């Protein structure tokens, strides 16, 4: 696979007083700018090589680079600080951090480093080129994304999920008067779909669940309560997620509301179908919302209980 990337190499030594932080800041604010020739449509890679502990702050600029979607590889030689290298490099450590006792031994890691960089460039290129269905319906919606916060996801997979969500959000016109999107890490935030939290009574309500394991508590009853309240549920299962549980959680029909991928890195494969399905359902719900009850009252959302009531005039 032929891919393009912008790769920058930083070499620090005693000659420049081990100022890794200064070098990283320079890259962030100078080298990765359009006026410096940086391209928005290619992966961006930084490889740091150092033989000592940095004499300035390196953690903050490293975090800013990672937050900007720039991939960081760290190579330590001799007296370099291993903990500092871990803090600089992107996850996972085994593919982004390398250490050798002497510069003469760097050739020993060249093949492995080359393979890791090449693989990551291919993955990032795929993220950049993924097809996204742009939702052009004039209808608006309130969308809550529920991400399983269990430790099984890990740092690298959570980064993949974050990229997935970033691409998903790009499909919609997000704004206070347009589509509103919220993110909850463990459970749907308390009062997510209540007026005091910004929820709109005349907008379709969407929940998207992403999980990689079978739930340890009862999810069927809360899911049914949400569906009974007119809230549309989409379920995305990764790796060890229980497909029967996903089907029981999601709104019908299964073919547009349930998704399963074998690994987090394949989540982008469902992006276009998911955004298209959500957009279509928002449009359909918007057309029928005038017939739906607008006076439903919801209880506190917990892991096991969610009640919906409607006042009755006697």
């Amino acid at each position: 696979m032929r891919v393009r990337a912008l790769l920058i190499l930083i070499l620090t030594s005693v000659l420049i007083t081990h100022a890794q932080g200064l070098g990283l800041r320079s890259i962030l604010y100078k080298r990765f700018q359009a006026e410096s020739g940086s391209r928005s449509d290619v992966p961006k890679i930084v490889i740091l090589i150092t033989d000592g502990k940095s004499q300035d702050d390196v953690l903050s600029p490293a975090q800013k680079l990672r937050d900007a979607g720039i991939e960081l590889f760290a190579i330590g030689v001799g007296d370099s600080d291993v903990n500092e290298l871990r803090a600089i490099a992107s996850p996972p450590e085994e593919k982004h951090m390398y250490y050798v006792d002497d510069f003469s031994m760097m050739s020993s890691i060249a093949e492995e480093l080359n393979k890791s960089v090449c693989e990551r460039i291919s993955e990032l290129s795929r993220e950049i080129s993924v097809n996204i269905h742009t939702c052009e319906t004039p209808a608006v919606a309130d969308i809550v994304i529920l991400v399983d916060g269990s430790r099984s996801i890990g740092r690298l997979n959570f980064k993949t999920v974050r990229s997935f969500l970033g691409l998903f959000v790009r499909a919609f016109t997000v704004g206070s008067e347009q589509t509103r999107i919220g993110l909850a890490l463990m459970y749907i935030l308390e009062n997510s779909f209540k007026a005091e939290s910004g929820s709109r009574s005349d907008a379709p309500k969407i929940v998207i669940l992403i999980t990689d394991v079978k739930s340890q508590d009862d999810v069927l009853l809360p899911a049914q309560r949400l569906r009974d309240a007119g809230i549309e549920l989409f379920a995305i299962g990764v790796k060890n997620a229980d497909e029967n549980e996903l089907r029981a959680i999601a709104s019908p029909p299964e073919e547009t509301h349930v998704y399963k991928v074998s690994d987090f890195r394949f989540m982008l494969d469902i992006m276009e179908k998911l955004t298209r399905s959500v957009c279509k359902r928002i449009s359909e719900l918007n057309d029928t919302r005038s017939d739906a009850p607008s006076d439903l009252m919801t209880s506190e959302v917990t892991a096991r209980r969610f009640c919906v009531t409607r006042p009755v005039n006697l």
Side-chain angles (χ1 to χ4, degrees):
M1 177 181 180
R2 284 188 71 180
V3 295
R4 300 175 299 159
L6 179 56
L7 187 150
I8 292 179
L9 180 69
I10 304 179
L11 176 61
T12 71
S13 69
V14 179
L15 293 177
I16 55 173
T17 65
H18 294 108
Q20 290 102 304
L22 177 62
L24 293 174
R25 282 193 295 272
S26 175
I27 285 175
L28 178 62
Y29 296 115
K30 295 181 180 179
R31 298 301 297 274
F32 283 129
Q33 302 299 319
E35 54 268 27
S36 298
S38 182
R39 297 161 293 178
S40 61
D41 60 344
V42 301
K44 296 171 178 59
I45 308 288
V46 169
I47 302 176
L48 170 69
I49 303 175
T50 182
D51 67 345
K53 182 176 175 62
S54 181
Q55 300 302 308
D56 60 356
D57 174 36
V58 70
L59 304 186
S60 178
Q63 185 62 55
K64 288 181 179 178
L65 283 166
R66 292 194 300 269
D67 290 344
I70 297 167
E71 201 80 3
L72 291 175
F73 291 79
I75 302 174
V77 184
D79 295 328
S80 58
D81 187 307
V82 176
N83 290 327
E84 189 173 73
L85 296 176
R86 291 193 183 100
I88 292 172
S90 300
E93 175 185 322
E94 60 271 17
K95 288 185 176 293
H96 290 76
M97 194 199 84
Y98 300 85
Y99 176 83
V100 292
D101 291 327
D102 190 85
F103 280 101
S104 63
M105 300 175 63
M106 287 189 64
S107 59
S108 65
I109 64 169
E111 184 176 355
E112 186 179 353
L113 174 65
N114 181 283
K115 181 180 178 182
S116 294
V117 172
C118 186
E119 287 178 350
R120 194 58 186 133
I121 289 175
S122 296
E123 292 168 357
L124 291 169
S125 295
R126 186 164 165 268
E127 290 181 14
I128 292 172
S129 61
V130 66
N131 291 325
I132 303 173
H133 171 71
T134 301
C135 188
E136 298 179 348
T137 175
V140 298
D142 292 335
I143 301 175
V144 171
I145 301 170
L146 174 63
V147 181
D148 181 354
S150 65
R151 291 183 179 180
S152 61
I153 289 184
R155 289 178 62 196
L156 180 61
N157 289 332
F158 187 79
K159 182 178 180 181
T160 302
V161 171
R162 187 176 65 178
S163 298
F164 175 86
L165 297 180
L167 291 170
F168 175 81
V169 169
R170 279 170 47 191
F172 300 87
T173 303
V174 178
S176 60
E177 302 302 323
Q178 302 292 327
T179 298
R180 296 177 182 173
I181 297 180
L183 177 64
L185 294 180
M186 293 297 290
Y187 300 102
I188 297 174
L189 293 176
E190 184 177 352
N191 302 322
S192 286
F193 288 123
K194 290 189 175 181
E196 53 267 34
S197 297
S199 184
R200 297 160 293 184
S201 61
D202 60 344
K205 311 288 188 294
I206 307 287
V207 168
I208 301 173
L209 168 69
I210 302 174
T211 184
D212 68 337
V213 293
K214 179 177 175 62
S215 180
Q216 299 302 306
D217 59 1
D218 175 35
V219 296
L220 305 187
L221 180 59
Q224 185 61 55
R225 302 279 187 176
L226 286 167
R227 292 195 300 270
D228 290 345
I231 297 169
E232 199 82 1
L233 295 176
F234 291 78
I236 302 174
V238 185
K239 296 174 67 174
N240 299 319
D242 187 301
E243 291 193 48
N244 290 327
E245 189 174 73
L246 296 176
R247 294 188 189 98
I249 291 172
S251 301
E254 176 186 326
E255 57 269 21
T256 58
H257 288 68
V258 177
Y259 300 83
K260 182 78 188 310
V261 293
S262 59
D263 196 89
F264 281 96
R265 65 180 185 272
F266 299 128
M267 286 185 67
L268 296 180
D269 294 344
I270 66 171
M271 176 62 70
E272 183 175 11
K273 184 178 179 182
L274 175 66
T275 51
R276 190 180 295 276
S277 295
V278 172
C279 181
K280 180 180 178 182
R281 194 60 185 132
I282 288 174
S283 181
E284 293 170 348
L285 290 170
N286 193 70
D287 291 339
T288 60
R289 69 188 182 199
S290 59
D291 298 326
S294 59
D295 54 353
L296 293 176
M297 299 174 62
T298 59
S299 71
E300 176 183 351
V301 178
T302 70
R304 295 182 177 276
R305 188 170 183 271
F306 178 78
C307 296
V308 181
T309 58
R310 187 179 184 184
V312 177
N313 295 323
L314 299 178

